[in-house]
Amino acid sequence: MSNSQSSDALLFPDSSRIFLEPHLPPKIKFSQSPDSDLPFATVTFATSLDSALALSPGAKTVLSGPQSKAMTHYLRSRHDAILIGVGTAVADDPGLNCRIAGVGGYGGQGLEGQPRPIVIDPIARWDFTESSKILALAREGRGRAPFIITGSQSVPPEKKALLERHGGKFISLDVVTSETGEHRIDWTTLLKALSKEGLKSVMIEGGGTIINSLLEPSYQHLIDSVIVTIAPTWLGQGGVVVSPKRRFNEQGVAIPASRLTDVKWYPFGEDVVLCGRIQS
């Protein structure tokens, strides 16, 4: 494909990038601790005023305005990887690439600025095909094929071959199945596995199950930055909500699940962007 700028490229001016810089992975990779075996982890999502991501599971719900959408793609360009759960992959057939003008595939060289998609799929249920958007973009040189984190030891050979042909792969990790049948992968183990792949920063985009699990008390310390776009709308009851499990003190009294510190609020179009980090 020609490397000329694509018609669907997004513009995100330098003047809009300044406020984000303190909340992003360092541009110079080695300014992070060279001994660190964990990538810089950013949790980012768009939410309604009632903390909802979507009207219902699997329902495509537009929340953020065009400026915030371009911001999300810029954030992708600043991370080595972008991570979602299998539910989002199945529901949305996402591209998980970066469309900012000037990155690879959109006017830039090679795949520079394109993040590696990571899909958490504990039992390898995502039935991607040759025509899936994410693989089509990889073939066109406008994105990378995904790394799929799975616990399945029996990935179909044809799936494995298709993924590897596009430059992606399966990464097998231990999966814990809860009493309610939920399949979960330890976040520390998962992030260390990404670091071993040379991915030194990861942007966690969703969906709700992924974000809520990472916000649990035992994993919050893994998060380096939180960037939330808040849209001026209520979705109403019954939506997919970001709300981590409640904590209790030694007396059994409920206490807040978490709090952000170093908080900055930035008006952005009709939305507001909240940046901060988890209070330790």
Side-chain angles (χ1 to χ4, degrees):
M1 171 180 172
S2 167
N3 205 28
S4 60
Q5 190 167 302
S6 173
S7 60
D8 61 346
L10 300 171
L11 297 175
F12 193 65
D14 291 344
S15 59
S16 296
R17 303 180 183 193
I18 297 170
F19 78 87
L20 291 168
E21 195 58 44
H23 314 287
L24 295 177
K27 286 186 175 180
I28 303 174
K29 304 290 183 184
F30 58 77
S31 64
Q32 262 181 282
S33 169
D35 300 322
S36 175
D37 58 355
L38 290 170
F40 186 104
T42 302
V43 170
T44 182
F45 55 91
T47 180
S48 64
L49 293 172
D50 42 357
S51 199
L53 305 177
L55 287 162
S56 61
K60 289 193 175 184
T61 307
V62 177
L63 284 170
S64 52
Q67 288 170 291
S68 299
K69 181 179 180 180
M71 182 194 76
T72 297
H73 279 261
Y74 173 68
L75 293 178
R76 291 180 178 184
S77 76
R78 292 294 304 277
H79 291 79
D80 293 341
I82 171 176
L83 183 148
I84 63 167
V86 64
T88 302
V90 170
D92 293 352
D93 185 27
L96 295 182
N97 69 338
C98 172
R99 302 207 322 263
I100 292 293
V103 303
Y106 293 82
Q109 295 298 313
L111 289 172
E112 185 177 349
Q114 289 293 348
R116 173 71 65 181
I118 309 294
V119 179
I120 301 180
D121 186 5
I123 57 172
R125 70 180 177 93
W126 184 24
D127 191 23
F128 58 87
T129 66
E130 192 90 28
S131 60
S132 293
K133 187 175 181 181
I134 200 166
L135 296 187
L137 287 168
R139 287 195 302 274
E140 295 165 4
R142 296 195 293 154
R144 299 180 191 270
F147 289 174
I148 300 177
I149 309 293
T150 182
S152 174
Q153 300 302 312
S154 56
V155 174
E158 61 274 13
K159 268 191 176 184
K160 185 172 182 289
L162 175 61
L163 191 57
E164 291 178 353
R165 193 161 65 245
H166 286 79
K169 64 180 176 180
F170 284 94
I171 299 174
S172 292
L173 298 176
D174 290 336
V175 170
V176 175
T177 303
S178 70
E179 293 178 358
T180 58
E182 289 180 314
H183 304 288
R184 307 192 69 176
I185 294 173
D186 178 78
W187 274 105
T188 303
T189 302
L190 190 156
L191 291 173
K192 285 182 177 180
L194 297 186
S195 187
K196 286 180 181 178
E197 295 290 338
L199 302 169
K200 299 304 181 186
S201 58
V202 57
M203 174 176 166
I204 295 113
E205 275 201 22
T209 301
I210 292 292
I211 293 169
N212 284 327
S213 70
L214 188 53
L215 286 175
E216 287 183 10
S218 57
Y219 294 130
Q220 287 180 11
H221 68 282
L222 300 172
I223 302 170
D224 294 284
S225 181
V226 177
I227 302 175
V228 180
T229 299
I230 303 169
T233 185
W234 287 278
L235 292 186
Q237 297 176 11
V240 178
V241 175
V242 173
S243 184
K245 290 180 180 177
R246 180 167 288 184
R247 294 191 299 162
F248 297 88
N249 64 16
E250 293 176 356
Q251 289 74 42
V253 177
I255 58 175
S258 188
R259 183 179 175 87
L260 294 179
T261 187
D262 295 338
V263 171
K264 301 290 184 184
W265 296 86
Y266 304 100
F268 208 55
E270 291 192 339
D271 305 324
V272 174
V273 176
L274 162 64
C275 300
R277 61 182 177 85
I278 301 286
Q279 190 171 41
S280 56

